[in-house]
Amino acid sequence: MPNYHGLFVILSSLLPCIIFLIVFISIDGFIKGVIIQNHLPNSLILLGQEEVDFSVSILRNNIHNLQSILSLEILSTDSANSLYNYYFFYRAGFLTLTICITTFLAYLAGKKLNVRFDARRNVEKILKFIFFVFSIVAVLTTFGIILSLIFETVRFFSQVSFSEFLFGIHWSPQTAIREGQVGSSGSFGAIPIFTGTLLITAISMLIAVPLGLYSAIYLSQYARPKVRNYFKPILEILAGIPTVVYGFFAALSVGPFIRSTGESLGLTVSTESALAAGLVMGIMIIPYVSSLSDDVMTAVPESLRDGSLALGATKSETIRKVIFPAALPGIVGAILLAISRAIGETMIVVMAAGLAANLTANPLSAVTTVTVQIVTLLVGDQEFDSPKTLAAFALGLVLFFITLALNILAMVTVRKYRERYE
Amino acid sequence: MVDGTENDIKPNGNYSSDNNLLIDCKNVDVFYGDKQALYNVSLGINEKEVTSLIGPSGCGKSTFLRCLNRMNDVIDSCSISGNIKINGEDIYNPHIDVVELRSRIGMVFQKPNPFPKSVFDNVAYGPRLHGKITDKDEMHHKVEASLVRAGLWDEIKDRLNEPGTSLSGGQQQRLCIARAIAVDPEIILMDEPCSALDPIATAKIEELIDELKTNYTIVIVTHSMQQAARVSQRTAFFHLGNLIEVGDTENIFRSPENEQTEAYVTGRYG
């Protein structure tokens, strides 16, 4: 098969070339640094390592253009010219090298080809390797993120005690930048913000699960195909609306509405309330529940539905007793996805529920969530080793464990169900 | 075209039935959208007999079968005209309760379709649904009786709590028959019940069909001429949406009146 032979040559020449490129890009900055350092005037080097590093880094960013190297006024015109030339040759040399390698490999691969050469199987091997590398990249990235979280969290706990963070009920992460400022210590009790997250998530799920599930049941079981074809995309648009839009909808319309309704009932409601954020978030999450549930319920084999109907079950009995149980693993999955979406949502909460870390279960009061706190901790100027900044990593790690636990819970539930039903 | 009421059969066959006409279909036309699937079919089906519907694929025999318990209602584009009476009652009368109708007519499908529940729950599904049996012991008796009748009890009496889907294909199909029997239907419709099964499982199902006919009226769609000959008393041959010939099974296979029937049953075409 000639196309396999062609594919084999392309893969076996381009693949090493791409690997070479990746390696090169990762050491590119280092090479540039070496070139630049050799051009720095002695007077600058005498100023110390810090100054040198600074100059190298700004030169590195401007090395592509002779004019901008000159405009930095670090180097004399001669050495700037020389640097630019060096850089140019380095680039050209690299390009030539890449082309040479690729051509050489293509030549080698081409030489291998003959009538008896099994290109098809060799292509299969190469593709297998490519897929393996891609999956490894995904796994390694995950581990990298977790490790960096853990690393920073450990640094955080060297400054704030573990029990204070996990069991403290007072959250006020403002630390003093100058000595003697008010609130200099900061307190990092994370309980209020986790209960806040829990409260808002619970409210949004109370909205999203019934609405999403029931509309999924309608769309997958009752609606005519034509209705379904229009309804489903419209419902999915909900997921495409930017969360900022939901946020100001929650803050400007829903919040004040809840407040005035509450007041007319004689309740004290703050304009920023967990209820407002939860309600709007619930609406936003509906398509996550409905779309997936709809898919899994449509995927339940027709034969099961027919079997139940033929036994004299009504449509709703069939849905309740056959289709819903058969689709439950998928539905549980959809709900869990929605929950993790709710936990991760930030913008709506910032705008509608506020920043106050109140420890309360009252949906009418202002609360804050983990993600919102992470944002506020990292916005603005701060040092990278202050407990305030590091607290964000600790919060992130705990959040990660919570979602992990949720996923495991879901898997266990689904497996238990499967044992019973399949 | 032969009108398949009892009076027409007696004169031309060795087999003569003492049974009464239970299902009486007159001038049934079925359309899927613009496409006509059945043309003016008139067919009578006797009580406590096995009637087999044969014919090449796409000839409308399954469509006809699904008319009898109104399963075609599930398909949006399907429309039916004509007259189908069961026990003298028009089942397409708008006042009829389709759910109640289907509880009187069991159906077994081409592919075994046990629910993803335990064996016990599969059989108990119908009785629970119709609220006929609420007592636990009584339910147990019902399930046992149904499984015994379906010839499955001895094989799986220790496995009642296992999922129905874990049984073998033949067992699953018999479970589906037990499930249908559990609602005490008068009629059992079978849509190629053995096409997904191996010969041994098929033989068991055929044996079962033979036993069941003492209590139930059975209509079976089959692609296997041998099966039709083995299990049925009457056979109807469909071709391209038309009912070509109906009569005692022996006559249909030994001395068919219609050339097309003869060509089909002798395997020369179809």
Side-chain angles (χ1 to χ4, degrees):
Chain A
M1 265 170 274
N3 50 350
Y4 273 106
H5 285 87
L7 194 59
F8 173 74
V9 174
I10 293 173
L11 284 175
S12 53
S13 53
L14 283 189
L15 203 63
C17 170
I18 290 169
I19 294 171
F20 176 70
L21 271 176
I22 292 170
V23 172
F24 165 74
I25 288 168
S26 55
I27 59 168
D28 181 52
F30 174 74
I31 296 175
K32 279 181 194 163
V34 172
I35 299 176
I36 293 165
Q37 249 175 12
N38 287 335
H39 285 83
L40 288 181
N42 281 330
S43 55
L44 194 86
I45 292 170
L46 289 175
L47 287 174
Q49 191 59 36
E50 215 165 280
E51 201 66 17
V52 171
D53 287 348
F54 178 72
S55 307
V56 167
S57 79
I58 55 171
L59 275 171
R60 193 186 287 147
N61 293 334
N62 291 290
I63 200 165
H64 310 277
N65 190 325
L66 183 58
Q67 289 309 314
S68 43
I69 299 176
L70 285 170
S71 68
L72 289 173
E73 295 179 347
I74 297 171
L75 304 176
S76 65
T77 319
D78 278 352
S79 49
N81 266 321
S82 149
L83 172 64
Y84 186 69
N85 285 338
Y86 261 94
Y87 173 70
F88 182 77
F89 280 120
Y90 157 66
R91 263 293 136 93
F94 162 72
L95 197 68
T96 325
L97 188 64
T98 316
I99 292 171
C100 285
I101 291 177
T102 314
T103 321
F104 180 65
L105 286 170
Y107 168 72
L108 278 188
K111 232 178 125 181
K112 252 183 156 177
L113 296 184
N114 59 47
V115 183
R116 293 174 63 192
F117 178 68
D118 192 354
R120 205 171 161 199
R121 228 177 53 206
N122 279 288
V123 166
E124 198 63 31
K125 273 185 204 159
I126 298 174
L127 288 180
K128 189 178 151 194
F129 174 74
I130 293 177
F131 293 133
F132 171 73
V133 169
F134 276 43
S135 62
I136 284 291
V137 168
V139 173
L140 284 185
T141 316
T142 315
F143 274 110
I145 292 172
I146 296 171
L147 280 182
S148 78
L149 273 181
I150 291 176
F151 190 67
E152 300 295 333
T153 306
V154 168
R155 278 176 63 190
F156 172 70
F157 284 125
S158 68
Q159 298 181 33
V160 174
S161 84
F162 194 68
S163 58
E164 187 201 332
F165 178 72
L166 275 191
F167 306 110
I169 54 165
H170 189 63
W171 177 265
S172 118
Q174 301 313 321
T175 43
I177 297 172
R178 283 177 286 110
E179 300 251 337
Q181 227 174 354
V182 185
S184 54
S185 62
S187 57
F188 294 94
I191 293 276
I193 56 178
F194 280 104
T195 51
T197 306
L198 204 71
L199 183 62
I200 289 184
T201 306
I203 294 171
S204 68
M205 294 319 286
L206 279 178
I207 305 291
V209 170
L211 280 175
L213 209 52
Y214 282 28
S215 59
I217 288 174
Y218 173 74
L219 285 179
S220 67
Q221 306 300 325
Y222 288 99
R224 292 158 161 278
K226 225 177 175 177
V227 178
R228 186 184 140 95
N229 286 347
Y230 285 106
F231 264 51
K232 213 182 165 193
I234 292 175
L235 205 56
E236 279 163 8
I237 287 176
L238 281 180
I241 297 174
T243 52
V244 159
V245 179
Y246 281 109
F248 66 69
F249 176 60
L252 301 180
S253 311
V254 178
F257 173 74
I258 290 174
R259 184 186 154 96
S260 60
T261 316
E263 272 172 356
S264 64
L265 291 171
L267 299 166
T268 32
V269 186
S270 59
T271 323
E272 291 179 328
S273 67
L275 188 60
L279 272 176
V280 175
M281 204 195 285
I283 305 276
M284 182 189 77
I285 285 168
I286 289 173
Y288 287 85
V289 180
S290 73
S291 199
L292 259 172
S293 310
D294 175 57
D295 287 344
V296 290
M297 283 197 280
T298 315
V300 172
E302 194 87 329
S303 64
L304 287 183
R305 201 178 71 172
D306 283 358
S308 171
L309 289 176
L311 283 168
T314 63
K315 219 163 182 175
S316 71
E317 284 165 344
T318 303
I319 292 166
R320 204 170 59 231
K321 296 187 170 176
V322 175
I323 294 178
F324 186 76
L328 195 61
I331 291 172
V332 170
I335 291 174
L336 277 158
L337 182 72
I339 291 179
S340 37
R341 188 75 185 73
I343 291 177
E345 177 49 40
T346 314
M347 202 40 98
I348 294 176
V349 189
V350 173
M351 295 169 89
L355 299 171
N358 295 326
L359 179 56
T360 173
N362 177 7
L364 300 176
S365 63
V367 295
T368 190
T369 66
V370 177
T371 50
V372 169
Q373 284 310 311
I374 292 177
V375 171
T376 48
L377 288 174
L378 295 182
V379 168
D381 298 330
Q382 55 251 315
E383 301 147 53
F384 266 115
D385 51 357
S386 81
K388 187 185 163 195
T389 314
L390 293 174
F393 288 98
L395 287 177
L397 189 70
V398 177
L399 202 58
F400 169 75
F401 276 116
I402 290 175
T403 21
L404 187 72
L406 270 176
N407 282 334
I408 292 172
L409 185 74
M411 263 173 359
V412 171
T413 321
V414 168
R415 196 166 299 155
K416 211 170 163 189
Y417 158 87
R418 280 229 166 107
E419 273 169 8
R420 214 143 43 96
Y421 278 101
E422 262 170 34
Chain B
M1 203 179 298
V2 179
D3 193 9
T5 53
E6 202 182 347
N7 295 338
D8 297 317
I9 306 155
K10 272 182 180 167
N12 63 17
N14 311 330
Y15 171 80
S16 82
S17 171
D18 299 324
N19 290 332
N20 300 315
L21 187 67
L22 181 69
I23 307 174
D24 187 15
C25 308
K26 289 238 164 69
N27 311 106
V28 177
D29 289 305
V30 177
F31 294 86
Y32 291 116
D34 296 331
K35 204 178 141 274
Q36 188 161 7
L38 281 183
Y39 297 86
N40 200 29
V41 171
S42 298
L43 176 65
I45 287 161
N46 291 335
E47 204 177 359
K48 293 184 182 166
E49 256 183 24
V50 180
T51 304
S52 61
L53 312 178
I54 60 170
S57 293
C59 67
K61 51 196 188 315
S62 289
T63 299
F64 178 74
L65 193 75
R66 289 169 68 99
C67 286
L68 301 180
N69 64 346
R70 292 188 57 172
M71 278 303 278
N72 283 332
D73 292 13
V74 177
I75 302 161
D76 280 329
S77 62
C78 185
S79 61
I80 296 158
S81 67
N83 192 299
I84 300 177
K85 282 183 177 161
I86 294 179
N87 270 333
E89 182 188 24
D90 180 3
I91 62 165
Y92 280 90
N93 185 322
H95 300 297
I96 202 139
D97 178 1
V98 182
V99 168
E100 191 269 341
L101 173 81
R102 289 192 191 134
S103 73
R104 284 190 285 137
I105 306 174
M107 188 164 195
V108 178
F109 294 84
Q110 187 168 355
K111 232 182 104 220
N113 58 348
F115 300 132
K117 301 172 188 293
S118 71
V119 170
F120 186 92
D121 287 342
N122 259 287
V123 182
Y125 184 83
R128 274 183 192 149
L129 207 60
H130 301 298
K132 282 179 183 160
I133 301 169
T134 44
D135 182 62
K136 218 176 165 186
D137 289 337
E138 207 182 330
M139 181 64 86
H140 208 274
H141 285 304
K142 183 83 208 171
V143 169
E144 180 176 341
S146 306
L147 285 170
V148 167
R149 199 166 264 179
L152 198 57
W153 177 253
D154 292 332
E155 288 170 49
I156 59 163
K157 62 181 172 217
D158 306 322
R159 300 168 60 185
L160 295 181
N161 291 319
E162 281 178 34
T165 41
S166 69
L167 303 180
S168 74
Q171 288 174 330
Q172 285 189 16
Q173 196 62 299
R174 278 180 285 152
L175 176 64
C176 291
I177 293 173
R179 188 174 72 184
I181 292 171
V183 272
D184 301 318
E186 294 167 64
I187 303 163
I188 300 176
L189 309 175
M190 298 186 175
D191 192 354
E192 298 178 39
C194 302
S195 64
L197 304 181
D198 68 60
I200 294 167
T202 301
K204 279 202 173 142
I205 302 267
E206 285 179 8
E207 234 172 80
L208 176 61
I209 292 171
D210 209 47
E211 286 165 23
L212 290 174
K213 77 166 191 286
T214 50
N215 292 303
Y216 307 98
T217 304
I218 294 173
V219 186
I220 176 171
V221 166
T222 176
H223 268 135
S224 154
M225 250 90 68
Q226 290 88 337
Q227 184 169 66
R230 281 194 297 262
V231 300
S232 68
Q233 283 73 56
R234 291 188 62 208
T235 296
F237 172 60
F238 283 76
H239 185 49
L240 296 175
N242 290 298
L243 175 62
I244 305 294
E245 188 173 353
V246 58
D248 292 356
T249 300
E250 274 196 47
N251 289 342
I252 293 284
F253 284 96
R254 286 215 181 123
S255 50
E257 287 172 359
N258 188 292
E259 278 176 36
Q260 279 178 306
T261 315
E262 191 184 354
Y264 184 73
V265 299
T266 53
R268 271 188 284 127
Y269 108 127

Short mmCIF file of all heavy atoms in Angstrom, two decimals, chain A residues 77 105 123 137 160 190 232 291 294 298-299 302 329 347 353 397 403 413:
data_model
loop_
_atom_site.label_atom_id
_atom_site.label_comp_id
_atom_site.label_asym_id
_atom_site.label_seq_id
_atom_site.Cartn_x
_atom_site.Cartn_y
_atom_site.Cartn_z
N THR A 77 26.80 50.23 20.08
CA THR A 77 26.31 49.91 18.74
C THR A 77 27.03 48.70 18.17
O THR A 77 26.42 47.80 17.58
CB THR A 77 26.52 51.10 17.79
OG1 THR A 77 26.20 52.28 18.51
CG2 THR A 77 25.64 50.97 16.57
N LEU A 105 16.81 11.85 7.70
CA LEU A 105 15.93 10.79 8.20
C LEU A 105 14.98 10.31 7.11
O LEU A 105 14.72 9.12 6.97
CB LEU A 105 15.14 11.29 9.41
CG LEU A 105 15.95 11.42 10.70
CD1 LEU A 105 15.16 12.15 11.74
CD2 LEU A 105 16.37 10.05 11.19
N VAL A 123 4.03 1.78 10.55
CA VAL A 123 3.24 2.98 10.83
C VAL A 123 2.43 2.77 12.10
O VAL A 123 2.35 3.63 12.96
CB VAL A 123 2.32 3.31 9.63
CG1 VAL A 123 1.27 4.31 10.02
CG2 VAL A 123 3.14 3.82 8.47
N VAL A 137 1.74 12.80 28.42
CA VAL A 137 1.75 14.25 28.65
C VAL A 137 0.60 14.66 29.56
O VAL A 137 0.77 15.39 30.53
CB VAL A 137 1.67 15.01 27.31
CG1 VAL A 137 1.38 16.48 27.54
CG2 VAL A 137 2.96 14.86 26.54
N VAL A 160 1.49 28.71 58.95
CA VAL A 160 0.20 28.69 59.63
C VAL A 160 -0.08 27.25 60.04
O VAL A 160 0.18 26.33 59.26
CB VAL A 160 -0.92 29.18 58.67
CG1 VAL A 160 -2.28 29.03 59.32
CG2 VAL A 160 -0.67 30.59 58.24
N ALA A 190 -10.38 28.07 57.65
CA ALA A 190 -11.03 27.92 56.34
C ALA A 190 -12.47 27.42 56.43
O ALA A 190 -13.16 27.32 55.42
CB ALA A 190 -10.21 26.97 55.48
N LYS A 232 -33.20 21.36 22.52
CA LYS A 232 -31.92 20.97 23.12
C LYS A 232 -30.84 22.03 22.90
O LYS A 232 -30.18 22.44 23.85
CB LYS A 232 -31.49 19.61 22.58
CG LYS A 232 -30.72 18.83 23.63
CD LYS A 232 -30.23 17.50 23.13
CE LYS A 232 -29.20 17.01 24.12
NZ LYS A 232 -28.43 15.89 23.60
N SER A 291 -28.32 18.02 29.46
CA SER A 291 -27.79 17.55 28.19
C SER A 291 -27.22 16.13 28.32
O SER A 291 -27.54 15.25 27.53
CB SER A 291 -26.69 18.50 27.72
OG SER A 291 -26.47 18.33 26.36
N ASP A 294 -29.99 13.61 29.17
CA ASP A 294 -30.76 13.37 27.96
C ASP A 294 -30.05 12.36 27.07
O ASP A 294 -30.64 11.40 26.59
CB ASP A 294 -30.95 14.71 27.23
CG ASP A 294 -31.63 14.56 25.91
OD1 ASP A 294 -32.73 14.03 25.89
OD2 ASP A 294 -31.04 14.97 24.90
N THR A 298 -31.46 8.66 26.20
CA THR A 298 -31.73 8.31 24.80
C THR A 298 -30.96 7.04 24.44
O THR A 298 -31.40 6.26 23.60
CB THR A 298 -31.29 9.45 23.86
OG1 THR A 298 -31.74 10.67 24.41
CG2 THR A 298 -31.87 9.28 22.48
N ALA A 299 -29.82 6.84 25.10
CA ALA A 299 -28.98 5.68 24.77
C ALA A 299 -29.51 4.38 25.36
O ALA A 299 -29.04 3.31 24.99
CB ALA A 299 -27.55 5.92 25.25
N GLU A 302 -33.86 0.79 22.92
CA GLU A 302 -35.29 0.82 22.59
C GLU A 302 -35.98 -0.45 23.08
O GLU A 302 -37.13 -0.42 23.52
CB GLU A 302 -35.42 0.94 21.07
CG GLU A 302 -36.78 1.31 20.60
CD GLU A 302 -36.95 2.81 20.56
OE1 GLU A 302 -36.34 3.51 21.37
OE2 GLU A 302 -37.69 3.28 19.72
N PRO A 329 -26.19 5.43 36.12
CA PRO A 329 -24.76 5.75 36.19
C PRO A 329 -24.43 7.03 35.44
O PRO A 329 -23.69 7.88 35.93
CB PRO A 329 -24.09 4.55 35.53
CG PRO A 329 -25.06 3.45 35.63
CD PRO A 329 -26.42 4.06 35.62
N MET A 347 -17.15 33.68 39.25
CA MET A 347 -17.61 35.01 38.90
C MET A 347 -18.96 35.35 39.50
O MET A 347 -19.15 36.42 40.08
CB MET A 347 -17.67 35.08 37.37
CG MET A 347 -17.62 36.47 36.81
SD MET A 347 -16.47 37.53 37.65
CE MET A 347 -15.08 37.41 36.56
N ALA A 353 -22.65 37.00 45.78
CA ALA A 353 -22.67 36.52 47.16
C ALA A 353 -21.68 37.25 48.06
O ALA A 353 -21.71 37.11 49.27
CB ALA A 353 -22.38 35.02 47.20
N LEU A 397 -5.57 23.01 47.11
CA LEU A 397 -5.32 21.60 47.38
C LEU A 397 -6.53 20.94 48.04
O LEU A 397 -6.95 19.85 47.67
CB LEU A 397 -4.07 21.44 48.25
CG LEU A 397 -3.59 20.00 48.40
CD1 LEU A 397 -3.03 19.49 47.09
CD2 LEU A 397 -2.55 19.89 49.50
N THR A 403 -13.05 17.54 45.37
CA THR A 403 -13.57 17.07 44.08
C THR A 403 -13.14 15.63 43.82
O THR A 403 -13.92 14.83 43.30
CB THR A 403 -13.11 17.95 42.90
OG1 THR A 403 -11.95 18.67 43.30
CG2 THR A 403 -14.17 18.91 42.48
N THR A 413 -20.63 4.64 43.98
CA THR A 413 -22.09 4.56 43.85
C THR A 413 -22.47 3.85 42.57
O THR A 413 -23.31 2.94 42.57
CB THR A 413 -22.70 5.98 43.79
OG1 THR A 413 -22.00 6.80 44.70
CG2 THR A 413 -24.17 5.95 44.12
#
